[in-house]
Amino acid sequence: MERTTTAAAVAALLAAAALGLAPHQALAAPAPAAAVVADAAAASPELRFHDIPGSGGITLKGNVFTPAGAVSGRKYPLIVLPTSWGLPQIEYIAQARKLADSGYVVVSYTSRGFWLSGGNIEVAGPPDIADVSAVIDWALANSPADADRIGLGGVSYAAGITLLASAQDPRIKAVVAMSGWADLIESIYSGRTQHLQAAAMLGAAGYLTGRPGPELQTLLGNFLGSRLDQEQQMIEWGRKRSASEQVDRINANGAAIMLGNAWGDTIFPPNQYAKFYERLTGPKRLEFRPGDHATAEGTGLLGLPNDTWTNAHRWFDRYLKGERNGIDTEAPVQIKSRSNDGYEGYADWKSVGAGGTEKLALSDSEHLFANVDSGANGGILLLSSALDQFVKAPPIASIPLLPRAFAAVWQSERYDEDRRVRGTVKLHTTVTPTKADGTFVAYLYDVGPLGIGKLVSNAPYTFHGRTPGRAFGVDLELFSTAYDVPAGHRLALVVDTVDPLYIEHNPTGAQLTFSSPRSDPSYVSVPLREQ
């Protein structure tokens, strides 16, 4: 076992990232650095690196923090933190130390298939879930962990794993799942459309930092290659890895579940988390903030002040220590608008848009030529929504300059007062294609006096096997958001057929007509906060 401190381990990781070192090099701190911090470690929580037996005989690379001055014979609540996709075992070292400072045993481990942990990448498959229980077993046998007070937490990939584990292991009493998924299909295949940048990034990171198993390799090839003959198999694969398919078991086990995500998460959009939250019956909390994938939690991983991690600690303290810290008496749905810095509390997700719904009629028929990017798009994976979070600069488009041959545009009247959009915007329209297959993307923009539109939300939609020339209805949910449209602005719905975020399925020469039949008018439904 190697003993070190938070500062030494974090420094080693940052240095490794800068120099491109392999993970085993990153974790081997030089002896002089270890000597410098040895004295400081005496009053700090103890950190040790371990080889932890995983399921199926593999070895997981892990580390354990125990509280400073832990009393022999005394038991402490346990928190297990699997790592995110592509990250090594010291990902959570800053937060783990803070948790140990407040009296927890904290075990973090590199998820199987990544870096120096054994096995292949299973994408939260049964072996990953069995690993969680194996790590709990090991911690109970090798640390002063309390079997009656066990929590799980983590970001992204870890969030998906911990939710699934809470369905399988009734010992788990509390979960904090940040920037994760509850429905894997709804996350990266929403609107029957492959989320290209998300899937490609995850695939590339998997090959770079780990060992994708044969099943994952085949699935990635089929998914990115648009193998429709394999669509049902891919959907079934995703369902087996979705906590939404096991919500009854999660409810029966009764763990207290806290979910956190960002409005602009381009890997796991927020809608699927909100739907999952509504189905939970035990103690629960839902938090949405501005940002992209894991950006809401990112500063906390560096040990900086962070609202998400602060509430994660409060959640564990309430449900593993029994502390009456008030988190269970607050409104369980907490959201922050992308337009201001204050939090809004709601009794449930349905109450977020309880101020009424504004319907924008899409009465004019619009005809599009496919396969050309109009200039309207959802931005760049990880970057665009992060800019929105930190400098309030979402993707923009000049609405008057969008080429009408390739973009359909409908606009509201100018508003004489603010419109506080909250929740899930919905599009209902009628589409007539010239080809059997096709893709379109809907965007909602906040348009200022000069015609510059700031992206409020978007979502893709793909169809296959339709009869050319025959109209069909479409109901599409855009990605949930919280955005304030200033007085003097208007809302615009834009539809085009190409977006770099998604794989499109428009054959050469395809055209789409969007109409509003008198018997079935087209509209956009915009949920608003109560004034």
Side-chain angles (χ1 to χ4, degrees):
M1 294 183 292
E2 179 184 356
R3 189 173 179 176
T4 184
T5 67
T6 300
V10 171
L13 177 60
L14 294 178
L19 299 175
L21 299 179
H24 63 278
Q25 294 171 296
L27 296 180
V36 169
V37 298
D39 292 339
S44 301
E46 181 182 79
L47 169 63
R48 290 181 179 272
F49 291 97
H50 291 272
D51 288 345
I52 301 176
S55 65
I58 72 159
T59 297
L60 301 169
K61 294 296 180 177
N63 58 67
V64 181
F65 266 111
T66 53
V71 178
S72 177
R74 180 178 173 183
K75 298 295 184 180
Y76 299 86
L78 168 68
I79 295 176
V80 175
L81 304 171
T83 58
S84 302
W85 186 271
L87 292 183
Q89 58 174 311
I90 55 176
E91 172 188 4
Y92 302 108
I93 202 162
Q95 290 299 325
R97 179 171 184 174
K98 289 183 178 182
L99 287 165
D101 275 335
S102 63
Y104 291 95
V105 173
V106 186
V107 180
S108 181
Y109 68 93
T110 304
S111 299
R112 70 164 50 221
F114 289 102
W115 297 86
L116 297 180
S117 282
N120 293 321
I121 301 172
E122 303 287 348
V123 194
D128 291 295
I129 310 312
D131 284 344
V132 174
S133 294
V135 170
I136 291 173
D137 291 342
W138 179 89
L140 294 177
N142 294 275
S143 76
D146 188 343
D148 295 323
R149 296 183 290 169
I150 298 173
L152 301 181
V155 177
S156 185
Y157 187 49
I161 289 174
T162 58
L163 288 175
L164 287 162
S166 71
Q168 302 299 323
D169 195 327
R171 296 176 296 180
I172 297 164
K173 299 299 188 292
V175 173
V176 176
M178 297 170 276
S179 288
W181 79 89
D183 186 328
L184 192 55
I185 298 302
E186 186 65 20
S187 294
I188 61 173
Y189 195 51
S190 68
R192 207 180 176 187
T193 308
Q194 298 105 311
H195 293 211
L196 172 61
Q197 290 185 19
M201 187 278 288
L202 291 171
Y207 278 99
L208 182 64
T209 63
R211 300 169 299 282
E215 187 178 34
L216 176 57
Q217 294 180 42
T218 299
L219 183 122
L220 275 173
N222 291 339
F223 186 80
L224 295 174
S226 300
R227 288 284 304 275
L228 285 177
D229 60 317
Q230 298 295 314
E231 181 181 39
Q232 193 55 44
Q233 289 89 329
M234 288 187 280
I235 289 173
E236 290 302 319
W237 180 90
R239 285 176 175 166
K240 292 176 182 177
R241 290 159 170 80
S242 297
S244 59
E245 297 290 321
Q246 301 185 42
V247 68
D248 290 342
R249 298 187 66 169
I250 294 173
N251 288 334
N253 286 340
I257 308 289
M258 174 179 156
L259 306 171
N261 206 352
W263 295 120
D265 195 320
T266 44
I267 298 179
F268 304 128
N271 303 42
Q272 45 92 30
Y273 246 20
K275 292 175 183 176
F276 175 71
Y277 170 84
E278 287 290 88
R279 297 175 61 198
L280 294 172
T281 58
K284 59 183 180 178
R285 183 179 176 92
L286 177 67
E287 299 182 353
F288 283 143
R289 299 177 176 84
D292 206 313
H293 185 67
T295 63
E297 303 87 20
T299 56
L301 294 176
L302 300 176
L304 301 174
N306 181 277
D307 290 352
T308 307
W309 281 103
T310 295
N311 287 338
H313 288 232
R314 294 174 65 213
W315 193 255
F316 285 134
D317 289 346
R318 175 66 188 91
Y319 291 102
L320 296 182
K321 290 183 177 179
E323 292 185 4
R324 297 289 180 179
N325 55 21
I327 196 167
D328 57 327
T329 61
E330 298 170 357
V333 175
Q334 294 285 327
I335 70 171
K336 180 186 286 189
S337 169
R338 292 163 50 200
S339 307
N340 58 63
D341 293 328
Y343 283 92
E344 302 167 7
Y346 298 89
D348 51 34
W349 175 247
K350 295 176 182 178
S351 300
V352 171
T357 299
E358 181 172 343
K359 280 192 175 182
L360 308 179
L362 310 179
S363 54
D364 297 331
S365 179
E366 297 280 351
H367 184 81
L368 298 184
F369 292 91
N371 301 306
V372 175
D373 191 343
S374 70
N377 64 70
I380 301 172
L381 181 85
L382 300 179
L383 175 61
S384 296
S385 291
L387 289 174
D388 184 36
Q389 174 187 358
F390 294 112
V391 297
K392 292 184 169 52
I396 62 173
S398 176
I399 305 304
L401 297 182
L402 292 175
R404 294 310 197 260
F406 310 116
V409 180
W410 297 267
Q411 296 192 74
S412 72
E413 298 296 326
R414 293 192 187 280
Y415 295 121
D416 56 6
E417 60 181 12
D418 293 357
R419 289 292 192 275
R420 294 184 285 184
V421 181
R422 299 290 186 273
T424 307
V425 175
K426 299 177 182 179
L427 167 65
H428 174 76
T429 190
T430 296
V431 180
T432 305
T434 62
K435 303 289 185 179
D437 304 326
T439 298
F440 67 85
V441 184
Y443 310 89
L444 188 69
Y445 283 98
D446 160 26
V447 184
L450 298 179
I452 301 301
K454 295 182 178 181
L455 187 65
V456 177
S457 186
N458 78 100
Y461 184 90
T462 294
F463 58 88
H464 296 289
R466 292 289 180 175
T467 302
R470 179 176 295 178
F472 62 93
V474 170
D475 287 291
L476 176 63
E477 290 188 348
L478 276 62
F479 300 135
S480 302
T481 194
Y483 184 96
D484 298 344
V485 181
H489 289 214
R490 66 179 78 199
L491 286 171
L493 180 79
V494 176
V495 175
D496 73 1
T497 61
V498 176
D499 190 309
L501 285 172
Y502 312 112
I503 292 179
E504 51 93 7
H505 296 265
N506 296 299
T508 302
Q511 301 174 44
L512 299 175
T513 299
F514 295 86
S515 59
S516 182
R518 182 173 300 177
S519 60
D520 186 20
S522 296
Y523 61 86
V524 172
S525 173
V526 181
L528 302 174
R529 180 189 172 190
E530 289 182 327
Q531 296 295 327

